[in-house]
Amino acid sequence: MHIARKRFGQHFLHDKQIIERLVNVINPCPGQHLVEIGPGQGALTVPILKKIEQLDVVELDRDLIPALKTRCLGKGSLIVHQADALEFDFRTVIHNAESLRIVGNLPYNISTPLIFHLLEYAEHIIDMHFMLQKEVVDRLAAGKGEDAYGRLSIMVQYHCKVTSLFDVPPQAFYPPPQVDSSVVRLIPHRELPYLAKDYNHFANLVKLAFSYRRKTLRNCLKTIMSDTDWGKTDIDAHLRPEQLNVGDYVRLSNGLLEGPTDPNGK
Ligand code: SAH
């Protein structure tokens, strides 16, 4: 019997209906290449493997792996990578230029850095389905003006279409976490709807804007935007950071990079 390790964020799913619902929304189909992060004791691994021939899993806790392999025996081919998903090079599992589908009931303490790590592989990813802390899913999916809307919403929606699918209560897990959970679907855009000319500049602008949520944009951005700069945009400097959408931030960033306009208006 494995004792759940807190430092690995181990909360094992045991509610059969929730597991079935999750596998249904993932809808693994033969021929697809799925990668599961944090398979644990195989609550999702086994039902997913039954639907496809082969599955890669990335698991940090080596003590879980022997039982996981035993549980999957005869169900299909399980390829185990004992590794930290935050450092794992997801390109190494691609063999024939096929795209990946990523799934996982993630350890909540690493969920945000892991999503950013995975976004580096966005061009190789069809979609991602994660069980996360509900509060994080709300932030990922929020649109402008909503309470949960902020830097995380903008940075992830820059890369992906985000859909919150359903909520899961603590009792669905053992041991139960302190918080509610939700399942989220992220689909990387094949073509970015708004393209930042300089991604780091855009990312820094968003970070700066949200460092003082209650202030106006003019105040938040005064170190990088002069009144002249504001004069050149159609965005109102008196708005607050949560009133701009992804496209607005990209426009602001791209505009600032255009540099000073010719004083003669040429
Ligand atoms: N998918 C299983 C387990 C979820 S608990 C289920 O639903 O029951 C989270 C799992 O992620 C655990 O197995 C834990 O050991 C693993 N894990 C924690 N940190 C990890 C990391 N950095 N990289 C890969 N796996 C990790």
Side-chain angles (χ1 to χ4, degrees), residues 100-117:
L100 305 175
R101 303 190 66 206
I102 312 279
V103 304
N105 165 21
L106 297 185
Y108 295 167
N109 52 337
I110 65 159
S111 57
T112 319
L114 184 61
I115 290 174
F116 281 102
H117 178 61

Side-chain angles (χ1 to χ4, degrees), residues 8-13 36-41 43-44 58-61 64 83-86 105-107 110:
F8 290 146
Q10 292 176 349
H11 296 281
F12 300 109
L13 259 174
E36 187 189 3
I37 297 168
Q41 299 175 316
L44 295 172
V58 182
E59 172 58 60
L60 182 58
D61 185 353
L64 287 170
D84 182 345
L86 285 174
N105 165 21
L106 297 185
I110 65 159

